[in-house]
Amino acid sequence: MNYYYKEIEHLIKRNEVNKQVRKIQDNSEDLNTKWEIGRLLVEAQGGERRAKYGYKIIREWSKDFSKLYGSGYNTTNLKRYRQFFLSLGKSATVWHLLTWSHIREILPIKNENERNYYINLCASNNLSVRALQTEIKNNSYDRLIDKPNNVELINFNNDMNIRKEIKNPILIHLNEYETINNEKELQLKILSNLQAFFLQLGNGFTLVGNEYKIINKGKLYFIDILLFNYEFNHFVVVELKFRELRQSDKGEIELYMKLVDKHIKKHFHGNTIGIIISKEQEEFIATCVSEDDIIPLTYRVFD
């Protein structure tokens, strides 16, 4: 029992310290911690079948955790984390798109099909907590005319088919008398026209950051542009080279992809994708790099 106590305390301590410094991974890390706490509680109670008889452990441990780390780890919440693992344990590719407030509204729903319906509804439509509450209050699931016998959770972990998604050529619009003379100007041009840039890459892209900083073994690395595709559940590393593509560029972006995998990507995310934009004479060439595919594409500047 001491092992599980220390493991849960370690998760709580790490979670509370990191809350102040999290950015894009904040919500996923917080939910993953709650899920892991739930998993460890179920194991400490003797497994899923016997877990419902082990509330004594939760009552005892919650006193310590609440005293040390606040009411977020009281008896009621530890029971919720346990229920989170038992109810949504198989839906890791979906629940990271929700917040804990969403999940708290969904957990009391005992019918799995109904629960899956509301999870899918939130994930697909980016519902606010208030909108979710309204859907549940209005019995949205029960009012379905053609209610399916089995509601499967949406799979957001599909393999990303770049050939189908990305446009070719991709156009970079320049205003009159505007030029791009270096990598910094190219980055600023893309960042100032993100919506048009994303649409040409495909659907579901959002910006994580530019000049994104990662520290690995004491060394500092900066990724020119880091994207995330919420439809395919992939991070996308974009590197800009205001020159012809070199063989070493592929190795560099593969390094950045590995750093993203090591420091940012979670177990429920798909394979990280890389895009190198290089300048070949008067055109920008985008080379896409994945684990088993390299696809050259053309970026065309127009005014």
Side-chain angles (χ1 to χ4, degrees):
M1 290 300 177
N2 189 48
Y3 161 79
Y4 293 108
Y5 180 97
K6 289 186 177 297
E7 282 294 302
I8 291 174
E9 183 179 23
H10 169 71
L11 287 168
I12 293 172
K13 186 181 293 185
R14 185 184 65 183
N15 194 43
E16 292 303 305
V17 170
N18 288 343
K19 271 184 178 178
Q20 302 304 316
V21 296
R22 292 190 191 111
K23 294 182 181 179
I24 190 66
Q25 67 270 46
D26 187 15
N27 184 59
S28 294
E29 181 72 16
D30 188 55
L31 290 181
N32 193 55
T33 296
K34 290 176 170 62
W35 186 90
E36 287 287 346
I37 290 172
R39 179 183 66 81
L40 289 167
L41 285 171
V42 169
E43 288 187 12
Q45 292 171 328
E48 185 172 338
R49 292 183 179 180
R50 298 180 57 193
K52 61 182 179 181
Y53 303 109
Y55 286 124
K56 182 180 178 182
I57 290 174
I58 290 179
R59 286 196 301 269
E60 291 177 353
W61 291 359
S62 65
K63 292 177 183 178
D64 292 341
F65 296 143
S66 296
K67 187 182 296 183
L68 291 169
Y69 305 108
S71 61
Y73 307 98
N74 60 25
T75 301
T76 300
N77 281 321
L78 289 187
K79 287 181 179 179
R80 284 191 180 120
Y81 303 158
R82 171 189 162 278
Q83 186 182 1
F84 178 26
F85 170 75
L86 292 174
S87 300
L88 305 180
K90 297 179 181 179
S91 57
T93 60
V94 178
W95 56 249
H96 72 281
L97 299 176
L98 280 58
T99 66
W100 179 242
S101 296
H102 286 99
I103 291 170
R104 283 183 59 179
E105 296 294 328
I106 293 170
L107 281 179
I109 300 172
K110 298 186 182 301
N111 183 290
E112 184 178 1
N113 285 334
E114 183 177 0
R115 199 165 56 229
N116 288 350
Y117 167 80
Y118 287 113
I119 292 172
N120 291 343
L121 197 66
C122 289
S124 299
N125 298 279
N126 194 28
L127 291 187
S128 66
V129 175
R130 181 171 294 182
L132 171 62
Q133 290 170 338
T134 300
E135 291 293 326
I136 294 174
K137 182 179 179 180
N138 293 337
N139 298 313
S140 176
Y141 174 76
D142 290 332
R143 288 164 43 230
L144 289 174
I145 296 174
D146 187 14
K147 193 178 299 178
N149 294 324
N150 185 29
V151 179
E152 297 283 348
L153 287 168
I154 296 172
N155 182 9
F156 284 89
N157 199 27
N158 297 321
D159 288 332
M160 188 175 184
N161 192 331
I162 298 179
R163 294 185 186 277
K164 291 183 179 179
E165 286 294 312
I166 297 182
K167 312 299 184 298
N168 188 25
I170 292 178
L171 306 177
I172 298 177
H173 176 73
L174 294 182
N175 297 321
E176 189 177 7
Y177 306 120
E178 186 179 13
T179 59
I180 298 176
N181 300 303
N182 52 52
E183 291 172 10
K184 190 66 177 178
E185 290 181 5
L186 177 60
Q187 183 181 117
L188 291 173
K189 186 62 186 176
I190 291 173
L191 292 171
S192 64
N193 293 277
L194 281 177
Q195 184 175 14
F197 182 73
F198 287 164
L199 285 175
Q200 295 183 83
L201 286 177
N203 297 319
F205 282 91
T206 187
L207 176 69
V208 177
N210 65 298
E211 297 295 330
Y212 192 90
K213 181 173 67 175
I214 295 180
I215 300 175
N216 185 64
K217 296 181 179 180
K219 189 173 181 180
L220 195 58
Y221 297 88
F222 290 94
I223 296 172
D224 287 343
I225 300 174
L226 183 62
L227 307 174
F228 184 77
N229 188 290
Y230 56 80
E231 286 196 1
F232 292 96
N233 197 28
H234 293 261
F235 283 98
V236 181
V237 175
V238 181
E239 280 298 298
L240 309 175
K241 304 295 179 186
F242 200 75
R243 53 165 172 74
E244 293 184 355
L245 185 69
R246 298 172 183 168
Q247 188 173 358
S248 58
D249 294 333
K250 182 176 181 290
E252 180 185 22
I253 200 166
E254 285 178 338
L255 169 63
Y256 291 155
M257 290 160 66
K258 290 178 181 177
L259 291 177
V260 168
D261 288 347
K262 179 179 178 180
H263 295 282
I264 305 174
K265 175 184 167 183
K266 304 300 180 185
H267 66 88
F268 44 75
H269 291 144
N271 295 330
T272 302
I273 303 296
I275 298 177
I276 308 171
I277 300 177
S278 58
K279 190 173 187 297
E280 309 285 339
Q281 298 180 356
E282 298 304 314
E283 290 187 323
F284 291 102
I285 307 297
T287 303
C288 297
V289 181
S290 64
E291 285 189 342
D292 54 2
D293 211 356
I294 300 177
I295 309 165
L297 301 161
T298 303
Y299 276 61
R300 185 171 299 160
V301 176
F302 72 102
D303 51 31

